[in-house]
Amino acid sequence: MPSPAVTPWWRNRRLMPWLVQGITGLVVLVVVAFLVGNLVRNLTNAGLLLSWSWLHNPAGFDLSETLLPYNAALPYWRALLAGLVNTLRVVAAGLVGATVLGTLIGVSAFSSNGLLRRLGRAYVELIRNIPLLLQLVFWYFVVFLALPGGEQAIQLPGLVLAKSGLYLGRPELVNGVWQGQLRLTVEFGALLTGLVIYTAAFIAEVVRGGVASVPAGQWEAARSLGLTPLQTLQRIVLPQALRVIVPGLNSQYISLAKNSSLAVACGYTDLYSVAETTLNQTGRAVEVVLILLGSYLVIDLLISAVMNGVNAWVQIKER
Amino acid sequence: MTSTPQAPLARLRRELFATPLDGLITLGLVGFLLAVAAALLRWVFFQAEWAVIQANTTLFAVGRYPIEQQWRLWLLTTLLAAATGLSWGLLRGPSRRWPVNDQLAAGILIVLAVVGSWALKLAPAIQLRWCGIAALMLAVRWAAGRWGHTWPMGLRRLVPLIWPLLYLLGMVLISGGLGLMQVPPSEWGGLLLTLLEASFAILLCFPLGILLALGRRSDLPLLRWGSVVYIEFIRGAPLITLLFLGQNILGFLLPGGLAPDRVWRAAWVLTFFAAAYVAEAVRSGLAALPAGQLEAARSLGLPMHQALIHVVLPQALRIALPATVGQFITLLQDTTLLSLIGLLDLLGTARTVMANPEFLGKNAEVYLVLAVLFWCCCAALGLGSRALESRLNPLTTAKA
């Protein structure tokens, strides 16, 4: 009969943590080894063992729009790079647009106008409860593809919206076709509109939360010093609110970058869409998925790095 | 900022016309809203052609589920309606008058069953079925509210158990087996597939997310780092690339023949994806809980698992509830991505319908209906979460 003073082994404070971790680690290792073993065996059987030499074969498919010079004779890596640049382009434009729109809507929650406040609220509730993909196909198929062409195109000062694209600057109508320096495709337009409108709803909530976190006394003090509401917002409230807003913006920016991969739904040739075509042609599933995951990881990390820099900059400077 | 009671007219003036600028903004917004509303109403009632929805209601509801087997889905819907009525009635307890919210819900239900099925031009027999199902739910709710409290406590405790049982029964009814004809997942579609994938992922990602959150806050380095790597890996990747991975690589990872069907692959990917986000929501709840709670429980002699189950998790999950339900709502919305990998969920079905030459170019009608459907589901989930939150909040319950 063991004396009651002896601790049983399962209560041993030094043994148990190691035992638990050892068993967990072992299970994970066995599962991973099993999966990787299958992967190697199946890939070998299919003749698709990891290799990157196919990246130098000619891609053979065209991309509807690229910033980098590209044609079908160029290798796969050039196609993927062109797709990546297209992704970066829509993400960069989307970040700016969503930030501007989101800030406006977020700040509208503090307007003295009751209708404006409620409209801002309604916008957020409407947009957040409808799937982004549904919004994207709506903008593409219902709005942008239905734009009139030629003479009937929607002409605004400095902007023409036509079926053949969106023209900035001063486009001219030549033989019934718009010609201009700056042309954006309707695919890009639809994707950008969808992303901006969707992300703005989330950014508006971040901005509203940030501004609301500034104590009411700050507003009142600024007002009693004689600052106008706009000055109060600009000089007193926003610098304090930014400390709360920036971390929230970071995660919204990252989700915008990830959401840009839905471009395939409105025909824009972003990284994911090129990768899908590449997989269909080469069957190189593992390599393509690795490229995709790696690229989005790098984009996320870049955004995080920049936003962390901004965060350090807006934090309270202590002497 | 003040909440002093004022005459409605004065309040309106203060809210909308406080300054000349405010007045201008108000007039501009009112004009804009009126124009939008007028255009929308004109389109809905005079220009839109709703035949694309009316002719395809079955497709949107259940996809290509075989017609002679659809009685199984009707049976499941009836059981679900009865179970909802039962839980609803027992939750409200015995009161002669229904609370205002219940009257509202009942009214909406009746209107939906009668006007909804009329507007969709369903066959008369099917219209009658929907009205019957709505009536059944309300009748069970009434009966459970009336006599529920007279049942023995033990019986009432067992009632929540009907939900997991019903879920399993539903799975059998939908997919077949136990003497029923098998209906392969490739024939499920529409709302059925969307709800199935979403409910499956929501049910499984929740426990998985709790485990990951506990792992991330664990003192054991291997568990902590394992959870961190998993969560950050999943959160760094767009869902579509993970679905792509599931469709194209899962077959290589498992020995031949063991890889699940495409529908189930997508369901598992959704589950593992959502688990990482739920883990972060739960972690925020755990982080908000004072460390003293766990320490107090441990020093009372509770072993770790009991301290977690009885003390830490009930409080942490309540704090994490809004964020968690937010993730569930996102998950429901994310099921639309299945259409991009060739599954016939609601959006995928919509795409096949619009590829039909007869309904070409009817995008606006279909997308509008889908948007309204998703909006209502997500808004209802959000409302439910807020109601549950205030119900679980010890401060408000103590007052009530």
Side-chain angles (χ1 to χ4, degrees):
Chain A
M1 186 131 184
S3 86
V6 177
T7 340
W9 62 269
W10 61 86
R11 287 236 189 106
N12 189 320
R13 276 282 175 93
R14 291 168 75 180
L15 175 70
M16 273 318 278
W18 291 108
L19 204 64
V20 167
Q21 294 192 77
I23 292 172
T24 318
L26 205 66
V27 169
V28 170
L29 263 183
V30 166
V31 169
V32 168
F34 171 73
L35 294 179
V36 171
N38 280 319
L39 185 68
V40 172
R41 194 161 46 253
N42 287 331
L43 287 179
T44 316
N45 290 346
L48 287 172
L49 205 57
L50 210 61
S51 126
W52 300 96
S53 58
W54 56 272
L55 277 173
H56 298 288
N57 299 345
F61 55 84
D62 249 317
L63 301 178
S64 56
E65 61 173 313
T66 54
L67 272 187
L68 296 180
Y70 174 79
N71 63 57
L74 286 172
Y76 280 113
W77 70 268
R78 286 292 298 269
L80 289 164
L81 189 64
L84 178 62
V85 171
N86 276 351
T87 291
L88 292 177
R89 179 180 169 218
V90 79
V91 169
L95 288 185
V96 176
T99 309
V100 172
L101 186 61
T103 308
L104 288 179
I105 295 167
V107 170
S108 79
F110 302 93
S111 159
S112 56
N113 188 314
L115 192 61
L116 195 61
R117 278 202 309 269
R118 289 189 179 85
L119 214 59
R121 193 75 235 141
Y123 175 90
V124 172
E125 289 298 325
L126 177 71
I127 296 296
R128 287 207 308 183
N129 284 331
I130 300 177
L132 171 63
L133 187 59
L134 196 55
Q135 298 187 30
L136 286 178
V137 290
F138 172 83
W139 287 112
Y140 183 52
F141 288 105
V142 179
V143 178
F144 278 84
L145 280 189
L147 283 174
E151 300 244 345
Q152 283 88 44
I154 301 168
Q155 303 174 29
L156 303 166
L159 175 71
V160 170
L161 305 174
K163 207 186 184 83
S164 54
L166 322 173
Y167 301 85
L168 303 173
R170 295 174 166 226
E172 288 162 8
L173 198 61
V174 181
N175 299 330
V177 180
W178 287 94
Q179 304 275 341
Q181 292 284 317
L182 258 172
R183 171 176 171 270
L184 304 172
T185 58
V186 282
E187 285 78 19
F188 180 80
L191 178 63
L192 184 62
T193 312
L195 283 177
V196 164
I197 289 191
Y198 184 75
T199 315
F202 291 85
I203 290 185
E205 283 296 276
V206 171
V207 170
R208 190 180 62 89
V211 175
S213 75
V214 177
Q218 296 285 325
W219 288 89
E220 290 157 8
R223 291 308 303 278
S224 51
L225 284 176
L227 297 183
T228 65
L230 204 64
Q231 278 177 330
T232 311
L233 197 68
Q234 201 183 344
R235 302 271 171 84
I236 309 295
V237 177
L238 272 187
Q240 301 185 61
L242 273 179
R243 292 176 197 133
V244 182
I245 291 174
V246 170
L249 276 188
N250 185 5
S251 68
Q252 291 313 322
Y253 285 174
I254 288 178
S255 57
L256 184 140
K258 287 189 290 179
N259 284 337
S260 75
S261 60
L262 298 184
V264 66
C266 44
Y268 181 70
T269 46
D270 77 326
L271 178 63
Y272 175 76
S273 136
V274 177
E276 204 180 24
T277 317
T278 307
L279 172 70
N280 287 339
Q281 291 199 358
T282 61
R284 295 270 167 195
V286 180
E287 292 90 335
V288 168
V289 167
L290 285 180
I291 291 175
L292 272 178
L293 294 178
S295 309
Y296 282 105
L297 196 64
V298 169
I299 297 176
D300 293 352
L301 289 179
L302 270 180
I303 294 177
S304 278
V306 171
M307 292 309 283
N308 283 340
V310 174
N311 198 22
W313 183 58
V314 299
Q315 285 310 315
I316 302 172
K317 312 278 185 304
E318 300 205 5
R319 278 163 293 178
Chain B
M1 303 260 168
T2 53
S3 57
T4 44
Q6 280 173 318
L9 210 63
R11 221 190 91 199
L12 207 65
R13 193 173 155 184
R14 185 171 55 86
E15 288 262 290
L16 301 180
F17 298 97
T19 63
L21 180 69
D22 267 348
L24 262 177
I25 293 177
T26 302
L27 288 183
L29 286 178
V30 167
F32 169 75
L33 285 180
L34 282 181
V36 168
L40 192 65
L41 286 179
R42 197 169 59 229
W43 182 79
V44 166
F45 287 107
F46 299 111
Q47 289 168 345
E49 292 170 31
W50 297 107
V52 57
I53 303 289
Q54 290 157 347
N56 294 302
T57 40
T58 317
L59 213 52
F60 278 116
V62 298
R64 303 192 188 286
Y65 205 89
I67 291 180
E68 69 279 3
Q69 299 294 327
Q70 277 172 13
W71 61 268
R72 282 149 51 170
L73 304 180
W74 282 108
L75 177 63
L76 181 59
T77 316
T78 313
L79 289 177
L80 281 175
T84 309
L86 186 63
S87 297
W88 185 8
L90 288 181
L91 217 62
R92 287 307 194 201
S95 65
R96 288 207 79 73
R97 274 183 62 83
W98 288 25
V100 181
N101 283 347
D102 289 29
Q103 290 177 13
L104 208 67
I108 292 175
L109 199 66
I110 292 169
V111 169
L112 266 184
V114 176
V115 180
S117 53
W118 170 79
L120 286 172
K121 295 223 172 94
L122 299 176
I126 295 187
Q127 283 194 33
L128 213 64
R129 267 186 226 174
W130 281 117
C131 294
I133 287 173
L136 175 74
M137 190 199 289
L138 293 179
V140 174
R141 189 265 174 244
W142 177 78
R146 187 90 170 70
W147 293 295
H149 62 283
T150 58
W151 297 354
M153 198 61 203
L155 191 61
R156 271 190 290 162
R157 282 251 174 91
L158 287 179
V159 165
L161 274 181
I162 59 175
W163 287 103
L165 286 178
L166 205 54
Y167 195 82
L168 292 178
L169 179 69
M171 281 294 179
V172 172
L173 278 177
I174 291 169
S175 62
L178 302 182
L180 289 170
M181 202 187 85
Q182 295 280 352
V183 178
S186 54
E187 293 182 3
W188 310 345
L191 188 61
L192 173 71
L193 185 64
T194 293
L195 291 182
L196 208 67
E197 297 263 342
S199 62
F200 180 83
I202 285 175
L203 281 180
L204 287 188
C205 80
F206 190 46
L208 209 57
I210 293 176
L211 286 182
L212 281 169
L214 289 175
R216 192 167 183 169
R217 290 178 60 83
S218 160
D219 289 331
L220 309 181
L222 192 69
L223 292 189
R224 188 169 66 241
W225 285 108
S227 309
V228 168
V229 166
Y230 176 83
I231 292 172
E232 295 306 326
F233 166 73
I234 296 283
R235 285 177 8 120
L239 174 58
I240 181 74
T241 62
L242 294 175
L243 285 169
F244 184 81
L245 184 152
Q247 297 296 318
N248 293 301
I249 297 192
L250 214 59
F252 289 126
L253 285 175
L254 296 170
L258 258 184
D261 175 87
R262 283 159 50 78
V263 167
W264 288 115
R265 283 187 201 185
W268 282 108
V269 170
L270 279 177
T271 307
F272 285 121
F273 176 77
Y277 289 83
V278 168
E280 286 299 276
V282 173
R283 188 167 72 106
S284 70
L286 288 172
L289 202 65
Q293 292 289 329
L294 181 62
E295 288 162 9
R298 294 286 281 152
S299 61
L300 283 177
L302 288 181
M304 196 59 172
H305 65 275
Q306 283 192 17
L308 285 177
I309 292 174
H310 296 296
V311 178
V312 174
L313 279 180
Q315 303 182 66
L317 289 183
R318 193 178 63 225
I319 302 171
L321 181 77
T324 311
V325 176
Q327 288 308 330
F328 293 164
I329 293 176
T330 314
L331 182 59
L332 180 60
Q333 298 188 2
D334 282 341
T335 57
T336 52
L337 264 63
L338 300 183
S339 68
L340 290 183
I341 53 166
L343 297 184
L344 294 175
D345 73 315
L346 261 179
L347 193 57
T349 308
R351 291 180 146 203
T352 59
V353 164
M354 285 177 304
N356 181 347
E358 200 182 331
F359 303 115
L360 221 54
K362 295 286 166 261
N363 298 307
E365 287 86 347
V366 173
Y367 291 146
L368 188 75
V369 169
L370 289 196
V372 169
L373 203 60
F374 270 106
W375 192 89
C376 292
C377 289
C378 296
L381 271 177
L383 273 181
S385 120
R386 255 164 271 160
L388 193 61
E389 202 185 335
S390 63
R391 202 186 162 82
L392 291 179
N393 189 343
L395 295 177
T396 52
T397 351
K399 256 186 264 167

